[in-house]
Amino acid sequence: MANQRPIETVRIGSVKAAIWGIQAGERTRYNVTFSKRYRDAQGQWKTTHSFGRNDLLVLAKVADQAHSQILVLEAEQAEDTNGQDDDDEPP
């Protein structure tokens, strides 16, 4: 994942979820990483993977939204696998 970009991101304030697609045969599996941006004492932007008490509810909401987005991605994948002609009438 070092040089790759996430396929989707979900952000609320400074808390972000990055959704990664991992090829597993013909399917794509999804993993999520969480991070938070903050400014240090010198005003430089930093990223952490540690969350304080005040971040936890936001983290939970971001995780919920990431979960929902993965369900959408999996449904699209299933639709592509099953073919898109399911709604068409036979000739």
Side-chain angles (χ1 to χ4, degrees), residues 31-52:
N31 289 333
V32 181
T33 57
F34 299 95
S35 61
K36 181 178 75 168
R37 298 280 287 165
Y38 69 96
R39 286 189 188 259
D40 67 9
Q42 292 76 35
Q44 299 295 316
W45 283 104
K46 302 286 183 174
T47 300
T48 185
H49 302 285
S50 179
F51 300 89

Side-chain angles (χ1 to χ4, degrees), residues 1-9 16-23 28-35 49 66 70 73:
M1 288 191 291
N3 293 328
Q4 295 178 339
R5 292 184 171 263
I7 58 173
E8 297 282 342
T9 59
K16 179 173 89 170
I19 302 170
W20 305 88
I22 310 298
Q23 279 305 122
T28 302
R29 298 184 59 146
Y30 300 98
N31 289 333
V32 181
T33 57
F34 299 95
S35 61
H49 302 285
I70 290 170
L73 292 167

Side-chain angles (χ1 to χ4, degrees), residues 7-10 17 19 30 32 62-76:
I7 58 173
E8 297 282 342
T9 59
V10 176
I19 302 170
Y30 300 98
V32 181
V62 168
D64 180 49
Q65 290 180 9
H67 178 262
S68 295
Q69 185 59 44
I70 290 170
L71 292 177
V72 169
L73 292 167
E74 289 175 340
E76 290 171 356

